[in-house]
Amino acid sequence: MNNEEITNPVPSVDGKSIAIISYITIIGWIISYIQYGNNKSQLAIFHIRQSLFLMLCMFFTAIVQMLFAFTPYLGWIISTSFSLVMLGFLVLWVIALLNAINGEQKPLPVFGNKAQDLLKTIK
């Protein structure tokens, strides 16, 4: 085996794959961010920002929901309403994942453009 046969033993990951991986848990987001460092892509960074913002919103909503869950009566009602908010985040996650699968850079409804503005320092 000579040196000409070994050109690139590790295949490169494209921007679409990075975008899709970014929506698969926080571990997937970390992997996609590392892969983005090796393969810069506008599609990838767009979805890395969208998925991080969506995950942060879901995390803080879950924290608030847990705080209200231990308050009798009114807290239980508020906690239940936060469950509906989490269901909305799930719908947004599916929309965002489908956009990544289709290779589209559509911002999420409600806060997609805001996510890009707030997280523009992620490059």
Side-chain angles (χ1 to χ4, degrees):
M1 194 183 268
N2 58 25
N3 289 339
E4 293 175 14
E5 293 177 14
I6 302 174
T7 55
N8 190 4
V10 179
S12 176
V13 178
D14 66 332
K16 186 175 176 182
S17 298
I18 294 170
I20 294 168
I21 292 169
S22 72
Y23 289 101
I24 314 295
T25 72
I26 191 69
I27 304 297
W29 187 89
I30 292 169
I31 291 169
S32 67
Y33 188 69
I34 292 169
Q35 287 296 322
Y36 171 74
N38 299 331
N39 184 13
K40 304 282 185 186
S41 163
Q42 281 300 115
L43 179 67
I45 196 62
F46 177 84
H47 285 284
I48 285 172
R49 290 178 186 146
Q50 294 280 303
S51 64
L52 178 62
F53 192 80
L54 189 58
M55 281 188 261
L56 289 173
C57 288
M58 292 173 76
F59 175 75
F60 288 118
T61 301
I63 295 295
V64 171
Q65 182 181 12
M66 285 191 312
L67 292 174
F68 280 112
F70 296 110
T71 307
Y73 307 116
L74 182 61
W76 298 333
I77 294 169
I78 293 171
S79 180
T80 303
S81 65
F82 273 101
S83 296
L84 296 175
V85 171
M86 290 298 275
L87 182 63
F89 283 137
L90 177 65
V91 170
L92 290 176
W93 179 81
V94 169
I95 291 169
L97 182 61
L98 289 175
N99 286 340
I101 290 169
N102 292 329
E104 299 173 345
Q105 288 189 26
K106 290 182 184 176
L108 289 170
V110 182
F111 59 77
N113 290 324
K114 192 68 169 172
Q116 293 300 315
D117 291 339
L118 289 174
L119 301 174
K120 65 185 170 195
T121 58
I122 297 177
K123 297 178 183 181

